[in-house]
């Protein structure tokens, strides 16, 4: 597959024509694009932060990194497969299903070219309901207006699994909307929906916006169906969203969750992946200060937990050099 890493020096060389022969050697710029999520989520900050670390060293390695907003995990997987994205942030459950070609990746088949880089923060499935909606638990969803997420998002993917477990299809809701992550808080406060669903690290701008612009509560996602999912799938774990993070939500809320993971394609140049992980881990304190959801990250868990696909050889080379793996 043709990757879109291209060389600006080659282009200017062509423009200069014969003159380029006598010019001193110019280091070639290499560009990488990281897929993130909505701008009020945490993936966007992950991508921006990784790029910030990478771009600090551009003078030495000539890699220039950008991290645009995308539809989320599934859009990132598809973007990496098509070669539009070089790397992306992907929920650990989506990583597993895409790698093995399961559930809604069944038609596409297993994506064996996926490579793991590292794991980031935890992401609880977070349900926020308007206080006047009568929703106090996820089991109250039927009959209500629920934003189940845009099709490229991780929350939509996880909601499909939850809906199957609960025996629901979209007809059980009075409205099943598919708004993007960045649009749902406004829809909640404008009373266009009763509840929003977001698989996301905390604290984040979207839930902050939802809970400050309207009286809204985080509701539990528990019960026998959820217990069944945690038992059946290795990538689901119990999770608690701590009380006191958001206005009007002082109590801990029980739910389940996944981890955000950073993945790439096997065709991405090993030196590029090597320089990317090196930039993150050599500026680790600076990196973890860029978002409160990164505060508890530690190197050992980041390179071992929540990863389904094999490590990319560029990442592996750096981890071996550090003595973190054999
Ligand atoms: N987990 C969400 C998704 O996969 C994105 C969360 C975020 O942007 O922080 O689409």
């Amino acid at each position: 597959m043709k990757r879109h890493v291209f060389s600006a020096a080659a282009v200017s060389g062509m423009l200069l024509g014969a003159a380029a022969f006598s010019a001193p050697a110019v280091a070639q710029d290499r560009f990488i694009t990281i897929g993130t999520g909505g701008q009020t989520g945490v993936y966007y900050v992950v991508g921006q932060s990784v790029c910030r670390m990478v771009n600090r060293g551009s003078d030495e390695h000539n890699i220039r990194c950008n991290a645009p907003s995308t539809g989320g995990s599934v859009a990132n997987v598809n973007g990496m497969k098509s070669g539009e994205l070089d790397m992306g942030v992907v929920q650990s459950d989506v990583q597993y299903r895409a790698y093995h070609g399961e559930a809604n990746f069944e038609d596409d088949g297993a994506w064996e070219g996926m490579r793991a880089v590292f794991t980031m923060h935890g992401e609880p499935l977070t349900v926020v309901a308007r206080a006047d909606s009568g929703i106090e638990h996820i089991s109250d969803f039927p009959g209500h207006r629920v934003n189940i997420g845009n099709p490229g998002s991780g929350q939509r993917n996880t909601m499909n699994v939850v809906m199957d477990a609960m025996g629901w299809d979209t007809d059980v809701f009075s409205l099943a909307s598919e708004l993007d992550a960045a649009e749902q808080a406004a829809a909640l406060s404008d009373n266009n929906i009763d509840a929003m669903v977001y698989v996301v690290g905390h604290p984040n701008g979207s839930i902050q916006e939802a809970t400050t612009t309207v009286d809204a509560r985080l509701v539990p996602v528990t019960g026998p169906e959820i217990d069944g999912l945690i038992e059946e799938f290795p990538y689901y774990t119990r999770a608690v969203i701590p009380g006191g993070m958001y206005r009007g939500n002082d109590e801990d809320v029980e739910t389940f969750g996944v981890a955000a993971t950073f993945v790439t394609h096997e065709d991405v140049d090993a030196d590029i992946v090597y320089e990317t992980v090196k930039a993150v881990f050599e500026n680790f304190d600076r990196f973890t200060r860029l978002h409160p959801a990164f505060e508890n990250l530690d190197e050992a868990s980041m390179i071992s937990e929540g990863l389904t696909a094999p490590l990319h050889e560029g990442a592996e080379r750096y981890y071996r050099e550090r003595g973190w793996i054999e």
Side-chain angles (χ1 to χ4, degrees):
M1 184 189 308
K2 174 98 178 64
R3 311 297 305 179
H4 74 284
V5 174
F6 63 88
S7 149
V11 175
S12 59
M14 281 185 297
L15 295 177
L16 289 171
F21 286 111
S22 53
V26 181
Q28 301 187 338
D29 278 342
R30 295 174 293 176
F31 294 87
I32 53 171
T33 304
I34 300 174
T36 62
Q39 284 189 7
T40 50
V42 184
Y43 285 14
Y44 189 68
V45 186
V46 173
Q48 295 296 317
S49 305
V50 170
C51 282
R52 203 152 139 188
M53 299 302 116
V54 170
N55 291 338
R56 282 166 60 85
S58 291
D59 286 350
E60 283 128 54
H61 51 53
N62 300 305
I63 301 167
R64 297 186 196 277
C65 179
N66 75 96
S69 162
T70 71
S73 283
V74 175
N76 296 342
V77 164
N78 293 335
M80 282 182 275
K81 278 185 183 171
S82 69
E84 229 169 281
L85 300 171
D86 302 292
M87 302 177 191
V89 195
V90 172
Q91 285 178 202
S92 49
D93 55 344
V94 173
Q95 178 183 161
Y96 184 99
R97 292 197 281 267
Y99 184 72
H100 291 290
E102 287 177 12
N104 53 335
F105 291 98
E106 210 175 316
D107 290 348
D108 300 359
W111 176 28
E112 285 165 6
M114 179 194 272
R115 289 294 175 268
V117 181
F118 51 71
T119 293
M120 289 290 302
H121 54 283
E123 300 192 274
L125 186 131
T126 307
V127 174
V128 188
R130 289 177 61 93
D132 61 10
S133 67
I135 299 175
E136 291 184 356
H137 188 271
I138 193 168
S139 55
D140 298 325
F141 269 4
H144 287 97
R145 302 165 300 166
V146 178
N147 189 52
I148 58 171
N150 59 293
S153 69
Q155 45 278 1
R156 175 57 175 280
N157 206 265
T158 308
M159 258 311 270
N160 287 342
V161 175
V162 170
M163 286 166 57
D164 272 355
M166 302 294 258
W168 298 338
D169 58 25
T170 49
D171 294 344
V172 306
F173 308 117
S174 61
L175 171 79
S177 58
E178 298 188 318
L179 298 171
D180 285 350
E183 296 169 326
Q184 44 181 357
L188 195 80
S189 67
D190 291 347
N191 203 11
N192 293 328
I193 54 172
D194 296 311
M196 57 182 263
V197 176
Y198 204 2
V199 177
V200 67
H202 293 281
N204 66 76
S206 173
I207 310 292
Q208 228 136 29
E209 182 188 344
T211 50
T212 49
T213 52
V214 67
D215 288 337
R217 58 182 163 238
L218 273 64
V219 307
V221 181
T222 52
E225 297 87 357
I226 303 298
D227 291 345
L229 293 178
I230 295 167
E231 243 161 68
E232 186 178 349
F233 300 114
Y235 38 77
Y236 289 139
T237 54
R238 281 180 210 292
V240 172
I241 305 165
M245 262 186 192
Y246 301 106
R247 185 184 77 98
N249 287 274
D250 297 333
E251 305 295 323
D252 289 358
V253 175
E254 275 181 60
T255 179
F256 77 104
V258 293
T261 68
F262 197 84
V263 305
T264 186
H265 193 298
E266 63 176 346
D267 292 348
V268 174
D269 188 83
D271 290 339
I272 288 184
V273 179
Y274 174 88
E275 292 294 350
T276 305
V277 295
K278 185 173 173 202
V280 168
F281 289 110
E282 259 153 50
N283 297 290
F284 197 59
D285 286 344
R286 192 188 296 264
F287 178 76
T288 53
R289 280 198 299 269
L290 293 175
H291 194 285
F294 306 165
E295 234 164 53
N296 298 322
L297 292 177
D298 76 272
E299 292 101 326
S301 342
M302 284 176 75
I303 66 164
S304 61
E305 285 168 17
L307 302 173
T308 302
L311 282 175
H312 190 282
E313 56 168 313
E316 202 168 41
R317 193 205 304 163
Y318 179 76
Y319 301 155
R320 196 170 290 133
E321 268 178 27
R322 293 291 303 258
W324 291 341
I325 55 174
E326 302 266 292

